[in-house]
Amino acid sequence: MKNIIFFGDSLTAGHGLPAAASFPALIQARLDAAGLPYRAYNYGISGETSAGGRQRLASVLARHVVDVFVLALGANDGLRGIAVRETTANLRFILQEVRRQFPAAQLVLAGLQVPFDLGPLGLPGLGRYAQEFGSLFGSLAGTEGVAFIPSLLAGVLGRPELNLPDRVHPNAAGQQVLAANVWAVLEPLLRVQV
């Protein structure tokens, strides 16, 4: 069996839902159904920022041989308005450290948008921040040469019926959409690697 590490925040953890409803668990079901010899590990922690992920990375990498690493951090950075250059540096460090320790691993970066339109708030620079934040992921994936999920929350963001009452975290149906978004990029990589 090969290992897929899902490294993220509450979106990965499946905040407010049973563990079996999280998208990494749903990916495991797809792996099993497809007969692909992979074990999915969910290392999502609610509230995690890119800086927090950078700090806990070593402990996760010490637990498993990494064959595939899916990085899905940054949403909390965006919500807190953390400088884009800081988020980028943390995500770059994580990708490069995984590559250093596991040179053969497939790396995947999930893209995110700031989950609300900041422009109407009328605060200078918020619209620009949202734009810079949204573009950092594709740019980083390109410079690091890793596979890219354009938007983890595509089809879920802004749809109340696919989110918990907080309108931030996907509900069980929303997690199914996240799983489909991830699977679309992940499955071709896995079939090449087997």
Side-chain angles (χ1 to χ4, degrees):
M1 294 291 280
K2 295 184 175 184
N3 299 324
I4 305 176
I5 305 301
F6 290 94
F7 194 75
D9 50 34
S10 58
L11 301 174
T12 301
H15 173 80
L17 301 171
S22 69
F23 80 79
L26 300 172
I27 295 287
Q28 184 66 64
R30 289 178 183 229
L31 293 165
D32 295 344
L36 292 168
Y38 289 89
R39 172 75 197 263
Y41 291 92
N42 187 341
Y43 283 101
I45 294 183
S46 291
E48 185 84 287
T49 61
S50 64
R54 180 175 178 156
Q55 289 178 339
R56 74 177 166 107
L57 180 65
S59 67
V60 172
L61 297 184
R63 291 184 190 138
H64 308 283
V65 171
V66 178
D67 298 292
V68 181
F69 188 90
V70 180
L71 178 56
L73 279 174
N76 290 304
D77 294 48
L79 288 170
R80 295 174 190 189
I82 291 171
V84 168
R85 67 182 175 279
E86 186 177 326
T87 302
T88 303
N90 289 328
L91 297 177
R92 178 176 287 117
F93 174 89
I94 292 168
L95 292 170
Q96 291 181 348
E97 186 61 17
V98 175
R99 182 174 283 141
R100 186 185 71 76
Q101 291 192 38
F102 301 98
Q106 291 273 9
L107 304 181
V108 181
L109 179 63
L112 293 161
Q113 304 296 319
V114 174
F116 42 77
D117 183 0
L118 296 167
L121 296 178
L123 297 173
L126 285 183
R128 188 177 73 242
Y129 175 80
Q131 185 177 18
E132 290 175 1
F133 179 86
S135 65
L136 84 83
F137 298 94
S139 175
L140 181 60
T143 59
E144 291 299 318
V146 302
F148 182 52
I149 300 161
S151 176
L152 179 63
L153 291 170
V156 176
L157 194 62
R159 295 187 57 190
E161 71 276 14
L162 294 177
N163 287 278
L164 296 175
D166 66 12
R167 296 193 173 211
V168 173
H169 296 97
N171 60 22
Q175 284 280 336
Q176 292 275 0
V177 177
L178 267 61
N181 293 341
V182 173
W183 187 247
V185 173
L186 191 58
E187 188 212 8
L189 296 178
L190 303 183
R191 294 206 179 270
V192 167
Q193 201 176 55
V194 170

